[in-house]
Amino acid sequence: MNIAIMGYGVVGSGVAEVLKKNHDHIVQKSMQPSLELTRILDLRDFPGDENEKLFTKDFNDILNDETIGIVVETMGGLHPAYDFVLACLQAGKSVVTSNKELVAEKGYELLKVAEENNLNFLFEASVGGGIPIIRPISQCLAANEIDEIAGILNGTTNFILTKMIHEGMSFDDALKLAQQLGYAERNPAADVEGMDTCRKICILASLCFGNHVYPNEVYTEGITKLTLADVKYAQAWGGVIKLIGRATRYGDGKISAMVTPAFIQAHSQLAGVDDVFNAILVRGDAIGDVVFYGRGAGKLPTASAVVADVIDCAKHTQRRKNFGWENCIPNYVVSYRDIKCPFFVRVVSCDPAKAWAAAEKHFGEIKRLTYDGAPQDEIGFITPMMTQREFDEKAAVSGLTIGSMIRVTDY
Ligand code: HSE
């Protein structure tokens, strides 16, 4: 059986490298007589590349080649990736992708097309890079009702936050370094504005709770507004700030899903996750909490997950994986404004005593936070549990100037 790769960027070239490096072992695991990479689609030229003879700029060279049974899509972006993947499935080829945008937007649809054609559409690498998470959720944890899933899902932002917190590096320098190391997306806004995490939590929520959750249903904040003062207040509280994607299931069949920076307690299993590492906490009714941890980005870790899916496709040509991923339903995702939690608030004021009195009056029992060297013209505190709707109403009538407002988690 032959394989094609569409997109020879960081992940695509990593897939070619792993397929070559571990060739014999991979063929043996696939239970196929042979498993060869025979085509690579990319519009760019790669003179002198060891795979030079395999390159084409014409998608039809893959589509019309009947010897190719598995196509790896590592192009990224929605178009033309979606069009190519759809055509491959309709032409009888299984598809493996690392493209979270594609899966988050078109997962249900492409799984349906794969089902109709008795093929596999696999996407282990789309969340958590090299961390096994899609298979564990759909297979190993299948006996559980999953109540919540939460994680540090973006290596670039976690790397940036780690460098800022522990090395005092500027945001720009840390981002540049992440890009040089191949962690960041082509457009780093997708990382730092939270979109990448949003796509990943959509995929996880769809898998865990059974109905497709689309990115436009998920409230998303990135890390661009975080200040070093926020980081220090989090330490004073007894924790750290992380960019968290999370989704929760409620008894009435509805769910919540959001991406925001959050205060995480120092003893939480998510708190010690630094650099490019990702961690995903799954809360099941039988297993309790289980955490998956590892390299969430990078060439070879991501290629590791892609190639595992390739082996799975090769091994199961007559069997299709069923993820139990159904269509979206209206009003399934409740508004982030109705989700209760405590909030960390940083108020800027030239009269902190007056600001504190106003904060107590409007927010109720608040807990003051401070740290050595905290600016004299601000106060930091934690509110009681409330919805964002309540928070916004109280903040408006209090007349306080809110510098930061960050959710506080219970993990
Ligand atoms: N840009 C992504 C990240 C790559 O930093 O996590 C892996 O999805």
Side-chain angles (χ1 to χ4, degrees), residues 148-298:
E148 178 153 15
I149 182 151
I152 295 167
L153 300 170
N154 183 268
T156 303
T157 45
N158 205 38
F159 180 85
I160 292 171
L161 286 174
T162 305
K163 292 284 170 201
M164 287 170 74
I165 295 166
H166 298 303
E167 294 177 30
M169 201 182 260
S170 75
F171 177 88
D172 288 341
D173 286 351
L175 173 59
K176 227 172 275 161
L177 188 56
Q179 284 174 311
Q180 279 163 14
L181 294 170
Y183 303 146
E185 296 298 300
R186 256 180 321 186
N187 171 5
D191 293 301
V192 296
E193 301 289 356
M195 271 317 293
D196 181 74
T197 301
C198 168
R199 290 167 184 145
K200 290 168 178 166
I201 199 67
C202 285
I203 297 168
L204 295 176
S206 304
L207 272 177
C208 289
F209 306 134
N211 291 91
H212 196 128
V213 177
Y214 287 96
N216 65 7
E217 298 175 291
V218 177
Y219 175 69
T220 300
E221 272 176 39
I223 62 164
T224 52
K225 293 194 193 116
L226 290 181
T227 66
L228 280 175
D230 296 328
V231 167
K232 290 191 179 138
Y233 279 115
Q235 282 165 348
W237 170 75
V240 288
I241 299 183
K242 294 286 182 188
L243 182 66
I244 300 289
R246 73 195 107 143
T248 309
R249 185 171 62 99
Y250 300 109
D252 60 1
K254 298 198 181 216
I255 69 152
S256 70
M258 67 172 92
V259 176
T260 67
F263 276 27
I264 303 287
Q265 290 166 10
H267 61 73
S268 159
Q269 284 174 293
L270 298 182
V273 178
D274 280 337
D275 294 315
V276 75
F277 284 86
N278 283 190
I280 303 147
L281 180 150
V282 184
R283 196 163 277 178
D285 63 351
I287 194 164
D289 285 359
V290 55
V291 176
F292 299 85
Y293 170 84
R295 288 182 192 280

Side-chain angles (χ1 to χ4, degrees), residues 102-116:
L102 178 71
V103 184
E105 293 288 355
K106 303 287 185 184
Y108 169 71
E109 186 187 324
L110 291 170
L111 281 167
K112 264 268 167 264
V113 178
E115 181 184 338
E116 282 156 16

Side-chain angles (χ1 to χ4, degrees), residues 238-399:
V240 288
I241 299 183
K242 294 286 182 188
L243 182 66
I244 300 289
R246 73 195 107 143
T248 309
R249 185 171 62 99
Y250 300 109
D252 60 1
K254 298 198 181 216
I255 69 152
S256 70
M258 67 172 92
V259 176
T260 67
F263 276 27
I264 303 287
Q265 290 166 10
H267 61 73
S268 159
Q269 284 174 293
L270 298 182
V273 178
D274 280 337
D275 294 315
V276 75
F277 284 86
N278 283 190
I280 303 147
L281 180 150
V282 184
R283 196 163 277 178
D285 63 351
I287 194 164
D289 285 359
V290 55
V291 176
F292 299 85
Y293 170 84
R295 288 182 192 280
K299 182 173 177 168
L300 295 184
T302 310
S304 150
V306 171
V307 175
D309 275 351
V310 168
I311 294 170
D312 221 358
C313 286
K315 224 159 115 181
H316 299 118
T317 49
Q318 303 304 319
R319 247 181 46 210
R320 205 181 43 78
K321 270 196 190 303
N322 184 344
F323 290 99
W325 178 324
E326 299 300 329
N327 208 350
C328 64
I329 43 179
N331 305 318
Y332 178 50
V333 183
V334 301
S335 168
Y336 71 97
R337 302 193 68 220
D338 294 321
I339 308 302
K340 278 193 173 174
C341 66
F343 292 90
F344 160 71
V345 189
R346 188 168 55 82
V347 167
V348 183
S349 169
C350 53
D351 187 346
K354 196 169 153 207
W356 180 253
E360 270 191 318
K361 178 171 170 215
H362 293 283
F363 288 100
E365 225 171 276
I366 55 178
K367 184 176 166 234
R368 182 116 188 212
L369 296 180
T370 189
Y371 62 92
D372 276 353
Q376 296 299 306
D377 62 348
E378 62 182 42
I379 54 167
F381 59 88
I382 306 281
T383 71
M385 292 271 275
M386 62 182 69
T387 65
Q388 175 147 6
R389 210 176 284 283
E390 288 162 343
F391 177 90
D392 289 343
E393 282 161 13
K394 291 173 196 297
V397 290
S398 73

